[in-house]
Amino acid sequence: DAGVTQSPTHLIKTRGQQVTLRCSPKSGHDTVSWYQQALGQGPQFIFQYYEEEERQRGNFPDRFSGHQFPNYSSELNVNALLLGDSALYLCASSSTGARWNSPLHFGNGTRLTVT
Amino acid sequence: QQQVKQSPQSLIVQKGGISIINCAYENTAFDYFPWYQQFPGKGPALLIAIRPDVSEKKEGRFTISFNKSAKQFSLHIMDSQPGDSATYFCAAIPSGGYNKLIFGAGTRLAVHP
């Protein structure tokens, strides 16, 4: 049973560029959340997608956007990259509309470096 | 802004010892308090979780203690093993129905043989 898969695993971009990260949720899961984890810090919630719509959003600028597809996979897009966007981007999936007691399963992340 | 504060930042324990990690939160409107374990190069994995109406939960060598009046909760790892060496995050899920996690900053645990 495949867990949460993310691609690519590593990515190097230049300031001002745009990037797209991809996530396939665990089989049977319908909700996808994205988190940003800066080095040495805890993950920070970016947003959550359910039924192909953004349901919740954290304190991130509009440069961060996302999408969920009918097969529940998701993309995270970041425009106009800044050096401060360098981080590990984690995708997490859960089931049944992601109520509080539905455990989150995390992927291994995409390491984004902005130079 | 809802926050979860975690301490210590790093912890060194001898094999067989007890590891204790503490967290405190600043808002009472949380439904659930999970702990996550993260190994280098991996995503966080759910370790154990507790609801605010329960004072203690034990799963194997891992125990959560919860003090609602003090807005504090802690993770105890009994008989710590070198394989427990990882970063541990406490988290809280705000009330509202959907499991958006508010994470602490993490504790890097090293268990020496």
Side-chain angles (χ1 to χ4, degrees):
Chain A
D1 178 23
V4 179
T5 58
Q6 294 186 241
S7 63
T9 55
H10 294 83
L11 202 54
I12 300 175
K13 288 287 189 178
T14 304
R15 268 184 308 174
Q17 286 188 320
Q18 179 264 344
V19 67
T20 297
L21 311 181
R22 296 176 175 82
C23 172
S24 293
K26 180 179 170 64
S27 178
H29 285 183
D30 57 9
T31 303
V32 173
S33 301
W34 287 91
Y35 288 79
Q36 180 195 65
Q37 185 176 19
L39 198 62
Q41 298 296 316
Q44 299 278 322
F45 176 77
I46 303 175
F47 43 53
Q48 182 183 89
Y49 277 84
Y50 174 64
E51 292 188 339
E52 302 180 47
E53 294 195 356
E54 182 183 293
R55 180 163 64 178
Q56 293 187 96
R57 188 178 183 91
N59 190 25
F60 279 79
D62 292 343
R63 298 186 298 108
F64 290 77
S65 64
H67 188 78
Q68 186 179 35
F69 299 94
N71 67 352
Y72 307 120
S73 68
S74 177
E75 289 182 349
L76 164 65
N77 300 292
V78 186
N79 294 322
L81 284 167
L82 304 174
L83 295 179
D85 295 331
S86 295
L88 180 68
Y89 287 85
L90 294 163
C91 173
S93 71
S94 55
S95 63
T96 324
R99 290 290 170 175
W100 59 267
N101 59 348
S102 175
L104 284 183
H105 293 253
F106 283 85
N108 290 331
T110 294
R111 173 71 63 187
L112 172 65
T113 302
V114 182
T115 62
Chain B
Q1 185 177 356
Q2 297 167 329
Q3 285 190 331
V4 176
K5 296 183 178 180
Q6 183 171 348
S7 63
Q9 187 175 11
S10 63
L11 182 61
I12 298 175
V13 173
Q14 293 299 122
K15 179 182 177 181
I18 302 174
S19 304
I20 302 174
I21 303 171
N22 300 300
C23 286
Y25 60 98
E26 300 183 343
N27 186 304
T28 57
F30 289 117
D31 282 340
Y32 208 47
F33 296 88
W35 286 85
Y36 282 80
Q37 179 188 55
Q38 185 176 30
F39 293 103
K42 301 292 186 181
L46 179 64
L47 190 62
I48 186 172
I50 196 168
R51 291 176 50 174
D53 55 351
V54 175
S55 61
E56 186 175 281
K57 183 175 182 180
K58 182 176 180 178
E59 290 184 0
R61 297 185 294 108
F62 300 91
T63 300
I64 302 177
S65 297
F66 189 85
N67 186 330
K68 189 172 183 178
S69 61
K71 298 181 186 178
Q72 295 175 346
F73 56 111
S74 60
L75 175 69
H76 291 62
I77 305 174
M78 311 299 289
D79 186 26
S80 298
Q81 299 296 312
D84 296 329
S85 297
T87 300
Y88 292 81
F89 295 95
C90 61
I93 298 178
S95 299
Y98 306 118
N99 54 1
K100 160 189 170 182
L101 291 170
I102 309 294
F103 281 90
T107 296
R108 181 172 291 185
L109 171 65
V111 181
H112 291 178

